[in-house]
Amino acid sequence: LDIEERRSVDNRASSLIEEPSGTELQRYNKIVNAMYDDFVGRVAKGRKYTAEEAEAVAQSQVFTCAQANDNRLANELGGLTHAIEVAAQLGRSPSDKYKADITENICVKVAQ
């Protein structure tokens, strides 16, 4: 999928009421599939999975934090405050420069 193909999807023809069909649907499917394949490839590379292992885990699913952690898709679980501290450490910046007051837990993925 190249840039010209992405530009060729006529957004003016899109409708919130009618589903795309024909060539428009084929183009949308090609774009979505290319983005999905790229994402799964990046997961495989980053998590040291084979392409087949990454696809077997992914299967177009959305995971809870616990499920992502169980499938080696997250390094650890924690909140935003912890994520900022880890990012500051990886960026070799003093973490005390960054403050976050977030109480809800989120999934933390830190690329190594």
Side-chain angles (χ1 to χ4, degrees), residues 43-82:
V43 168
K45 182 179 179 185
R47 293 291 159 184
K48 297 179 177 50
Y49 279 134
T50 65
E52 293 78 21
E53 289 171 326
E55 179 56 38
V57 169
Q59 298 178 8
S60 300
Q61 297 180 71
V62 175
F63 295 102
T64 65
C65 291
Q67 290 168 327
N69 195 48
D70 291 345
N71 286 301
R72 297 184 1 228
L73 299 174
N75 290 0
E76 56 189 282
L77 302 180
L80 183 57
T81 302
H82 180 64

Side-chain angles (χ1 to χ4, degrees), residues 16 18 23 25 33 42 47 52 58 60 65 72 76 78 89 97-98 103 106-107 110:
L16 297 175
E18 295 179 23
T23 335
L25 180 60
N33 289 336
R42 289 172 186 257
R47 293 291 159 184
E52 293 78 21
S60 300
C65 291
R72 297 184 1 228
E76 56 189 282
Q89 290 171 358
K97 287 177 131 178
Y98 304 93
T103 55
I106 61 168
C107 190
V110 180

